[in-house]
Amino acid sequence: MKTLKDLFLGELADMYDAERRIVKALPKMAKAATCDDLKGAFQSHLKETEGHVKKLEQVFQSFDEKAKGKTCEATVGLLEEGDEIAAEFKGSPAINAALISAGQKVEHYEMASYGCLHEWAGLLGNEEAVGLLHQILEEEKAANESLTKLARTSSNEEALKESDEKDEAASERPANTRRGIRPISPGRKRTESLT
């Protein structure tokens, strides 16, 4: 019969894989960003994420287990979506808002996972693991808050501004109120009403 410790170790292996994948993805996200503050946020979180990998190894050790990863399908999917978004919005003023969205999806997944792991470590009576997982959880929350702040102070407005410019350009074009109807040329007679 599976136990809480089995569940904990399985989820820990999942997050160990996730963090190692995120270490590889963050430099690509930083490169795709056009906002220096966002590049800096991704680069800063890369250093934290490398630290998360080491902390997770310590958590495994605190349970007398060897650190091992188990493919984290959720992170694989979220990172693939992030790659698609970066490709789709490359060159667009909305690229930074898109990257923030992709990053926050990953952060929210991590916060949910680390919240559970933190609680379970406490139930299992492993105070060392509780402390390490609490540190990671707080860093993930701070990274998410940093992305939220960047979105609210610049990236979302930047994306909206580009959208507004398109709307203005469209409104400056003369409207054809008779779409689908050929204009009457001097040599063409107007037909009488069909009724």
Side-chain angles (χ1 to χ4, degrees):
M1 181 198 286
K2 294 281 187 176
T3 66
L4 179 62
K5 185 177 178 182
D6 296 324
L7 176 61
F8 176 86
L9 292 172
E11 289 298 310
L12 189 62
D14 199 56
M15 291 312 295
Y16 186 62
D17 177 71
E19 293 290 12
R20 293 188 306 172
R21 289 178 188 277
I22 294 165
V23 164
K24 292 176 185 173
L26 282 168
K28 291 190 268 182
M29 293 177 79
K31 185 178 179 185
T34 59
C35 167
D36 289 338
D37 290 339
L38 182 56
K39 282 182 188 287
F42 285 141
Q43 290 164 345
S44 173
H45 196 53
L46 172 60
K47 288 179 180 59
E48 286 179 342
T49 304
E50 290 167 341
H52 297 169
V53 171
K54 290 180 178 135
K55 286 176 182 159
L56 291 176
E57 289 168 353
Q58 291 176 284
V59 173
F60 275 110
Q61 288 171 357
S62 74
F63 280 93
D64 296 319
E65 296 283 338
K66 185 176 185 240
K68 61 180 179 182
K70 173 180 81 175
T71 301
C72 180
E73 297 296 342
T75 300
V76 168
L78 290 170
L79 293 176
E80 283 176 1
E81 183 179 334
D83 286 345
E84 290 169 11
I85 286 173
E88 185 178 342
F89 285 89
K90 185 176 182 178
S92 164
I95 183 67
N96 296 317
L99 290 168
I100 288 171
S101 171
Q104 285 193 299
K105 288 175 184 179
V106 172
E107 292 306 323
H108 284 236
Y109 176 76
E110 289 179 299
M111 288 185 301
S113 297
Y114 286 121
C116 291
L117 286 169
H118 174 261
E119 289 301 313
W120 295 338
L123 290 170
L124 294 168
N126 188 322
E127 291 306 312
E128 181 182 356
V130 168
L132 291 164
L133 292 165
H134 179 74
Q135 289 173 21
I136 296 172
L137 180 58
E138 291 305 309
E139 288 174 353
E140 299 296 5
K141 288 178 181 178
N144 182 63
E145 187 56 38
S146 172
L147 291 175
T148 297
K149 185 176 180 185
L150 281 170
R152 289 181 175 159
T153 59
S154 62
S155 297
N156 288 347
E157 289 296 322
E158 195 177 289
L160 181 63
K161 181 179 176 188
E162 186 265 345
S163 178
D164 289 345
E165 287 171 4
K166 280 185 180 176
D167 291 345
E168 285 175 20
S171 68
E172 289 173 8
R173 279 187 251 127
N176 182 356
T177 57
R178 300 170 42 109
R179 281 200 200 276
I181 301 173
R182 285 193 342 225
I184 299 173
S185 62
R188 187 170 153 231
K189 290 185 182 176
R190 192 179 289 252
T191 58
E192 296 300 320
S193 172
L194 295 176
T195 56

